[in-house]
Amino acid sequence: MASTVDSNIFSSVPALQSNLGILSPDQIELAKILLENGQSHLFQQWPQLGVDDKQKLDFFDQIARLNSSYPGGLAAYIKTAKELLADSKLGKNPYDGFSPSVPSGENLTFGNENFIEMEKRGVVEARNAAFVLVAGGLGERLGYNGIKVALPRETTTGTCFLQHYIESILALQEASNKIASDGSQRDIPFIIMTSDDTHSRTLELLESNSYFGMKPTQVHLLKQEKVACLDDNDARLALDPHNKYSIQTKPHGHGDVHSLLYSSGLLHKWLDAGLKWVLFFQDTNGLLFNAIPASLGVSATKQYHVNSLAVPRKAKEAIGGITKLTHVDGRSMVINVEYNQLDPLLRASGFPDGDVNCETGFSPFPGNINQLILELGPYKDELQKTGGAIKEFVNPKYKDSTKTAFKSSTRLECMMQDYPKTLPPTARVGFTVMDIWLAYAPVKNNPEDAAKVPKGNPYHSATSGEMAIYRANSLILQKAGVKMEEPVKQVLNGQEVEVWSRITWKPKWGMIFSDIKKKVSGNCEVSQRSTMAIKGRNVFIEDLSLDGALIVDSIDDAEVKLGGLIKNNGWTMESVDYKDTSVPEEIRIRGLKGPKVPNVMWKRESSEEASSPPQSHEYLEAQRSLLPSVQSSSPHMFLPPASAPVFLPSASAPIEPLNLSQVLTGVRELDLVPNRNSSHSYENPMFLPPPPMFLPHAPLLYPLSSLNSWSRAESGRAQQFRSRESIFYPYKEEQILSSEEELFGKVGLHCYNLQQGTNLQFVSLQEFHSWFSSIISYAVTLEAVDPMRRNSSCLFETLARHAIENKDCLSAIVTKCRIKPQNNPDSEKGRGHNPFNKALVDDFFKGEMPNWLPNDALTGNNKMQYYEMKDSEVEEDKEWLHLYAELALLTLQGSEFKTIQPVKPLELRKIVVSTKEDVESKKKVKAANAIFYISFKNCCGRDYNVIARRTTDGIPEHFSLEVKCC
């Protein structure tokens, strides 16, 4: 192979020349590129052929990736680096010859006629747009070790950033399709740019939450590769100091999104489908979608090729300014100029005072918030010219003033917002300015750094980001006519913030201001201490006086009206020290914890009889409970699902269940005392069962518990509340399904027994804690007994999460299951440090759940994979087989079960187990990886077929169980 190579090219690098025999022709070509571009140093320390050959080939695999992922390859990267490093050493100003001026753009005022018209035009255009999220970073700078898009946008509902973005896009999609002139329906594409750090975790977040309601085919993940680091002004590639066969790499910057879109072929596909716009946004601005509809309307009205979203900017504020630059040769461009470059540029261009505020109190150069709207056709044409490349910059840290050596390696970088730098002067480039309170609240600083920000400047932290959402929503309602009480100031994590009423709503309730105005009428008022979360679509607020907590969750077809006085104990927020490691990261970085859950009783405002036919809506009034509220360790408390019953008892009539699609769903804890003289009459005029914890796309069978943290050590009042018999379910405790936290605790007990060969048996639920970030997690403590040790008792701990990995399935993933140490009663209650590794699960047990048992399973060609359990085996293992069945029944809520009804005892009929392992038939039942086909009847004689798939990643205490009814 080496004989075909021009030996003169490699003669100066004997170490490489001696190893040519192991390289492929493509790898030899890569070696040529490196040598021709001054990179011979990479091979100086290579040993002779036969030593470290695998590592040498790995080196060229990395070189191949670096070469293919950069427009023009490594030769272009090194050439550009040499030019930029030379300019940097000479101190060359990239803006030499340019004069700054204020560009033309659109300034919008929230709520006025022009703003409303722009929003409406934006909704029309939304179905013609694709949305691109740049999400390549982790939250380490925030003090959070996960991906930033998994952080809660706000803690009232626990909705994470990614969920909010998807729900906003879906709301725009629905509204835009509804008014489409041709009546057609179109799905809006959603692209997420990820990185090595975020790709798998972003995909897991989407898959475990069923893409938050979006079709998986709408979502495309494009992974950004890193670029090579540079060691010196000669652009020599930097080797890893710990591995001479590896190049140091670092992120190239979010400007890579343009080259990824170009190379993916999506732009051509979108044009063919009739799309016109591409919207780019970054990962943690919780207010962004307040600005999207109107800004898109501006782009369509002004026919902008490029529209940069902007906010008013104070002079010298640390945010880039949108600026028009005109060169002495006549060239001009409208781009973002960083704040530390804008002031000296102005001073050098005849403005002696530099960047100063004008008569408006703000700088005439609006602040860039890195959100772009591009017209698709011109955008594709421009990328075809540039190959997707964006103008780059380099920022080396020199050791001294000679600028001959770096403190550490550097690399080329590019920014998404620098796309206009290559556009011709004829390009229509503008901006849309909106109020900061409405459109801009990024989350990018950790609590410690935020606390050091000078007073009056934005904190840009998780704390300020959440408070900004409440402020924006309060001001929007105020503009719609609601009387909002003024905020109070509070110090959280060392940051003084305004605390407004904690108001949130789903995008489907109010995506644009004109829709919100239609849903608010009369004399409405909300106190500062109040919390209101609207999760329904057709929820109308009329003459509402709210002083407390109100959570509304209704199905899309229901019409709900809120009116009258709603007054209760409300939610109070508890301050948290960001250094308190006992609190989950996503909570402590914002400095607030809670809420304390209020007690609420609901009753009819009208005097109609309880047995009257249900109306399309109800006016309900909440009165303060006489009993103290029960505290919760988590803010994520929600309503019953829409199919849960409301009991409207009367002294002379039996209980009449109403579907919650027809009435307002109530909220929070109830403490009601049954009238023991009658099974159908109660002392309270109306009883609403307690709500469950929120679980995306997998509602529970019925309201199980409204406590996020509970233990038997708490008050007797709380313990009584825990009992279903004491809260008037019309069936006995043993007839209805166990609570979800109890079932998940039992899964952990089952895992322990399976792995340890024990037979610990469940006695009672002792304590549980739960939290919600992107999915719901449980830390459960049970009491169990060991029959093999004279029924000796122990406390047993389980850490599990509820994932949604396949449609219509429930997935319980255990990462900790053990007997609680007696000498450490306060052992870990938070997350596990070793997540379940799906990559280690056998491929046979991955992917979609199998279909029901084939007819010839026990007699056909694959009969050795199957085994039907004998009656004696079923009797021996009935405890965990019943557990599988109960978990599967939870998936039927809302379809099979419309009200609370008895299901137990269950009668197991036939159980067949399937495994991949070649083991003795009887041992299949105990296999770590197995699929069970379970047929059973409930107590009412209804037949069910259940598929249960259990798997393990081989790590002790790890266990995954997926179940579904079919």
Side-chain angles (χ1 to χ4, degrees):
M1 184 182 299
S3 62
T4 64
V5 182
D6 185 353
S7 60
N8 291 331
I9 298 176
F10 300 100
S11 60
S12 62
V13 192
L16 174 59
Q17 189 174 34
S18 67
N19 283 279
L20 293 178
I22 64 170
L23 303 183
S24 68
D26 288 342
Q27 290 170 333
I28 290 175
E29 287 301 315
L30 290 173
K32 286 182 183 181
I33 292 173
L34 293 175
L35 296 184
E36 290 168 354
N37 288 275
Q39 306 299 321
S40 61
H41 68 286
L42 298 174
F43 307 102
Q44 295 295 338
Q45 301 301 317
W46 275 31
Q48 62 185 2
L49 185 67
V51 179
D52 296 341
D53 286 353
K54 183 182 183 303
Q55 291 91 322
K56 295 168 188 174
L57 295 177
D58 290 343
F59 169 85
F60 275 101
D61 286 343
Q62 184 190 23
I63 293 296
R65 290 194 300 272
L66 292 172
N67 187 63
S68 64
S69 63
Y70 185 85
L74 276 173
Y77 181 78
I78 295 168
K79 179 178 181 293
T80 303
K82 289 179 178 179
E83 294 171 354
L84 292 175
L85 287 168
D87 290 344
S88 177
K89 184 177 180 180
L90 294 173
K92 185 176 179 180
N93 186 344
Y95 299 121
D96 277 348
F98 286 98
S99 297
S101 60
V102 179
S104 62
E106 185 78 10
N107 286 272
L108 295 180
T109 300
F110 176 78
N112 68 11
E113 185 176 343
N114 184 45
F115 181 90
I116 291 174
E117 288 305 311
M118 289 299 105
E119 279 201 317
K120 290 180 179 178
R121 178 63 187 275
V123 171
V124 172
E125 296 292 331
R127 68 194 303 268
N128 302 320
F131 286 76
V132 182
L133 168 63
V134 177
L138 296 174
E140 293 168 334
R141 182 178 169 187
L142 300 169
Y144 175 66
N145 289 318
I147 55 175
K148 288 190 285 184
V149 292
L151 274 170
R153 174 177 175 261
E154 38 76 20
T155 55
T156 297
T157 65
T159 300
C160 71
F161 280 101
L162 185 57
Q163 179 179 356
H164 174 71
Y165 296 151
I166 288 177
E167 290 177 344
S168 297
I169 294 170
L170 290 175
L172 281 172
Q173 173 182 295
E174 181 181 17
S176 189
N177 283 333
K178 189 175 181 180
I179 58 176
S181 59
D182 61 359
S184 65
Q185 302 295 299
R186 177 183 288 165
D187 292 336
I188 294 177
F190 181 37
I191 313 303
I192 307 174
M193 187 182 82
T194 61
S195 66
D196 287 337
D197 293 329
T198 65
H199 186 83
S200 61
R201 284 190 263 189
T202 302
L203 185 60
E204 181 181 9
L205 178 60
L206 288 166
E207 291 179 344
S208 62
N209 289 282
S210 298
Y211 287 76
F212 297 107
M214 184 172 272
K215 296 177 183 177
T217 53
Q218 289 178 250
V219 183
H220 297 269
L221 270 59
L222 301 177
K223 187 163 77 74
Q224 172 192 30
E225 299 295 337
K226 295 179 180 179
V227 293
C229 290
L230 307 164
D231 242 351
D232 52 32
N233 285 325
D234 293 326
R236 298 202 312 165
L237 302 186
L239 283 170
D240 186 329
H242 304 294
N243 184 357
K244 61 187 176 185
Y245 301 108
S246 177
I247 303 292
Q248 286 185 49
T249 59
K250 290 182 181 179
H252 191 215
H254 46 53
D256 274 353
V257 68
H258 300 295
S259 62
L260 288 171
L261 283 173
Y262 174 72
S263 61
S264 71
L266 288 170
L267 301 181
H268 295 277
K269 180 180 178 181
W270 294 342
L271 273 175
D272 291 343
L275 269 62
K276 188 176 181 180
W277 309 102
V278 186
L279 291 90
F280 297 85
F281 62 103
Q282 290 186 267
D283 46 17
T284 52
N285 178 7
L287 298 179
L288 169 70
F289 274 87
N290 290 343
I292 288 293
S295 299
L296 185 54
V298 169
S299 286
T301 302
K302 298 282 188 178
Q303 296 184 325
Y304 282 149
H305 293 158
V306 179
N307 183 7
S308 295
L309 278 64
V311 294
R313 173 184 164 275
K314 290 288 186 180
K316 301 179 180 63
E317 184 180 346
I319 179 175
I322 307 290
T323 309
K324 181 177 181 180
L325 298 178
T326 304
H327 199 268
V328 292
D329 62 9
R331 290 179 290 132
S332 66
M333 56 184 174
V334 178
I335 63 167
N336 170 71
V337 177
E338 291 301 321
Y339 73 95
N340 57 351
Q341 296 175 314
L342 181 58
D343 186 72
L345 178 61
L346 286 165
R347 292 179 187 274
S349 305
F351 300 91
D353 295 328
D355 186 21
V356 294
N357 294 327
C358 63
E359 66 276 2
T360 64
F362 293 94
S363 169
F365 301 95
N368 171 50
I369 61 173
N370 286 351
Q371 326 293 337
L372 299 175
I373 302 177
L374 307 182
E375 187 177 347
L376 178 57
Y379 175 55
K380 182 187 75 70
D381 293 342
E382 182 63 23
L383 293 191
Q384 282 181 328
K385 298 175 187 177
T386 64
I390 299 299
K391 287 289 186 180
E392 294 165 304
F393 64 94
V394 68
N395 187 26
K397 301 298 188 291
Y398 298 106
K399 285 186 177 180
D400 53 43
S401 59
T402 65
K403 296 185 178 181
T404 56
F406 304 158
K407 291 181 180 179
S408 60
S409 61
T410 188
R411 87 284 196 185
L412 300 189
E413 299 178 69
C414 62
M415 296 191 293
M416 177 179 70
Q417 64 269 27
D418 282 345
Y419 161 74
K421 285 185 175 181
T422 61
L423 296 179
T426 55
R428 294 186 295 274
V429 181
F431 60 81
T432 302
V433 176
M434 295 190 198
D435 290 324
I436 294 176
W437 67 263
L438 179 70
Y440 189 53
V443 177
K444 55 186 180 182
N445 290 328
N446 63 51
E448 191 168 0
D449 290 342
K452 296 176 183 177
V453 170
K455 188 173 182 179
N457 289 344
Y459 297 115
H460 292 169
S461 66
T463 305
S464 63
E466 178 160 353
M467 294 301 111
I469 290 167
Y470 301 143
R471 179 192 185 200
N473 290 343
S474 295
L475 291 175
I476 290 170
L477 287 184
Q478 189 176 77
K479 189 71 175 179
V482 179
K483 182 180 179 181
M484 305 296 301
E485 189 175 0
E486 290 296 308
V488 298
K489 290 188 175 181
Q490 187 174 347
V491 176
L492 299 169
N493 272 347
Q495 306 157 56
E496 185 179 71
V497 294
E498 287 186 344
V499 180
W500 290 74
S501 307
R502 291 183 287 280
I503 307 294
T504 67
W505 57 74
K506 288 286 187 183
K508 65 183 178 182
W509 181 76
M511 195 67 222
I512 61 175
F513 183 56
S514 56
D515 287 344
I516 294 172
K517 287 180 66 177
K518 293 176 184 177
K519 294 178 178 179
V520 177
S521 61
N523 296 317
C524 299
E525 59 181 353
V526 178
S527 68
Q528 181 276 331
R529 74 180 190 90
S530 291
T531 300
M532 180 167 67
I534 301 175
K535 298 180 62 186
R537 182 190 308 280
N538 299 310
V539 178
F540 297 87
I541 303 173
E542 181 177 342
D543 294 322
L544 171 69
S545 178
L546 175 61
D547 183 26
L550 173 62
I551 312 297
V552 183
D553 189 4
S554 59
I555 63 174
D556 289 347
D557 293 336
E559 180 178 302
V560 176
K561 288 189 178 180
L562 307 178
L565 171 67
I566 295 180
K567 184 178 178 67
N568 55 63
N569 290 345
W571 285 2
T572 57
M573 308 302 290
E574 176 185 348
S575 295
V576 173
D577 187 343
Y578 73 91
K579 297 179 182 178
D580 184 357
T581 57
S582 67
V583 179
E585 290 174 334
E586 60 267 32
I587 299 300
R588 67 174 183 260
I589 63 173
R590 66 192 69 228
L592 48 93
K593 175 185 177 182
K596 292 183 178 179
V597 184
N599 296 307
V600 176
M601 290 195 316
W602 296 94
K603 69 178 183 181
R604 291 178 185 268
E605 193 175 54
S606 62
S607 59
E608 63 190 43
E609 293 298 323
S611 57
S612 300
Q615 304 299 313
S616 63
H617 59 267
E618 296 279 341
Y619 282 94
L620 298 177
E621 178 179 274
Q623 302 291 344
R624 185 191 303 273
S625 170
L626 300 177
L627 298 168
S629 62
V630 179
Q631 294 189 8
S632 167
S633 66
S634 170
H636 310 294
M637 307 290 294
F638 292 78
L639 291 173
S643 57
V646 174
F647 293 107
L648 299 174
S650 67
S652 58
I655 297 173
E656 296 288 340
L658 290 182
N659 192 304
L660 291 190
S661 65
Q662 297 173 311
V663 299
L664 170 67
T665 56
V667 60
R668 301 309 142 225
E669 246 81 282
L670 295 157
D671 200 309
L672 308 175
V673 181
N675 183 337
R676 300 300 183 185
N677 296 325
S678 169
S679 61
H680 294 302
S681 92
Y682 303 103
E683 297 178 346
N684 292 277
M686 177 177 180
F687 168 58
L688 185 66
M693 297 199 40
F694 176 64
L695 189 56
H697 310 294
L700 305 183
L701 173 62
Y702 52 80
L704 297 176
S705 169
S706 58
L707 296 177
N708 284 60
S709 184
W710 174 85
S711 71
R712 289 188 178 275
E714 293 183 14
S715 67
R717 184 72 65 184
Q719 190 170 346
Q720 182 190 24
F721 176 80
R722 202 49 207 143
S723 166
R724 290 192 189 86
E725 280 192 294
S726 68
I727 55 172
F728 327 128
Y729 288 106
Y731 309 108
K732 294 181 180 180
E733 174 83 9
E734 60 269 20
Q735 289 182 286
I736 56 180
L737 294 184
S738 306
S739 66
E740 181 162 332
E741 55 270 9
E742 180 178 305
L743 290 173
F744 273 58
K746 287 180 177 179
V747 173
L749 192 65
H750 170 48
C751 169
Y752 182 86
N753 285 334
L754 198 63
Q755 294 182 0
Q756 301 296 325
T758 54
N759 187 29
L760 298 182
Q761 295 182 2
F762 170 81
V763 175
S764 64
L765 175 67
Q766 292 294 308
E767 181 178 4
F768 74 88
H769 301 264
S770 58
W771 60 91
F772 175 81
S773 52
S774 56
I775 55 177
I776 200 165
S777 300
Y778 295 108
V780 182
T781 302
L782 308 175
E783 180 186 2
V785 295
D786 188 348
M788 303 302 294
R789 297 186 177 183
R790 299 182 180 181
N791 286 330
S792 60
S793 177
C794 66
L795 291 180
F796 187 88
E797 296 178 324
T798 294
L799 186 64
R801 64 185 180 93
H802 187 141
I804 312 299
E805 300 187 352
N806 284 294
K807 184 179 179 182
D808 301 325
C809 293
L810 181 150
S811 180
I813 297 178
V814 175
T815 54
K816 170 183 168 183
C817 55
R818 65 186 66 162
I819 295 174
K820 185 174 184 179
Q822 294 183 358
N823 59 352
N824 185 13
D826 296 319
S827 59
E828 178 186 2
K829 297 176 182 178
R831 289 174 177 73
H833 300 293
N834 295 306
F836 190 90
N837 191 343
K838 290 189 291 185
L840 299 179
V841 176
D842 192 302
D843 289 342
F844 183 80
F845 298 96
K846 290 181 181 178
E848 295 184 1
M849 289 284 279
N851 295 321
W852 180 245
L853 190 70
N855 292 332
D856 64 346
L858 298 172
T859 59
N861 294 332
N862 296 321
K863 63 182 180 181
M864 298 304 294
Q865 287 186 358
Y866 298 94
Y867 172 70
E868 181 176 357
M869 295 179 65
K870 297 178 180 179
D871 291 344
S872 58
E873 294 170 330
V874 172
E875 180 64 25
E876 179 182 348
D877 295 320
K878 65 180 180 182
E879 187 170 347
W880 56 264
L881 290 170
H882 277 273
L883 171 63
Y884 290 7
E886 282 199 69
L887 286 166
L889 287 177
L890 289 183
T891 66
L892 298 180
Q893 191 279 330
S895 58
E896 176 106 3
F897 299 100
K898 299 298 183 183
T899 61
I900 300 171
Q901 56 183 257
V903 294
K904 295 192 295 185
L906 305 178
E907 180 187 349
L908 297 173
R909 305 295 294 271
K910 179 178 180 179
I911 296 94
V912 175
V913 57
S914 168
T915 65
K916 180 185 177 183
E917 296 97 329
D918 185 14
V919 296
E920 182 183 347
S921 295
K922 293 182 179 179
K923 292 183 179 180
K924 290 180 182 290
V925 178
K926 305 297 184 183
N929 298 300
I931 300 171
F932 290 83
Y933 302 88
I934 304 171
S935 299
F936 68 92
K937 286 181 179 287
N938 70 6
C939 64
C940 299
R942 172 66 193 272
D943 289 311
Y944 294 94
N945 290 329
V946 168
I947 303 172
R949 179 168 67 187
R950 71 185 185 206
T951 56
T952 179
D953 59 3
I955 300 174
E957 302 187 42
H958 282 201
F959 184 77
S960 173
L961 180 64
E962 295 175 272
V963 292
K964 80 168 187 177
C965 279
C966 58

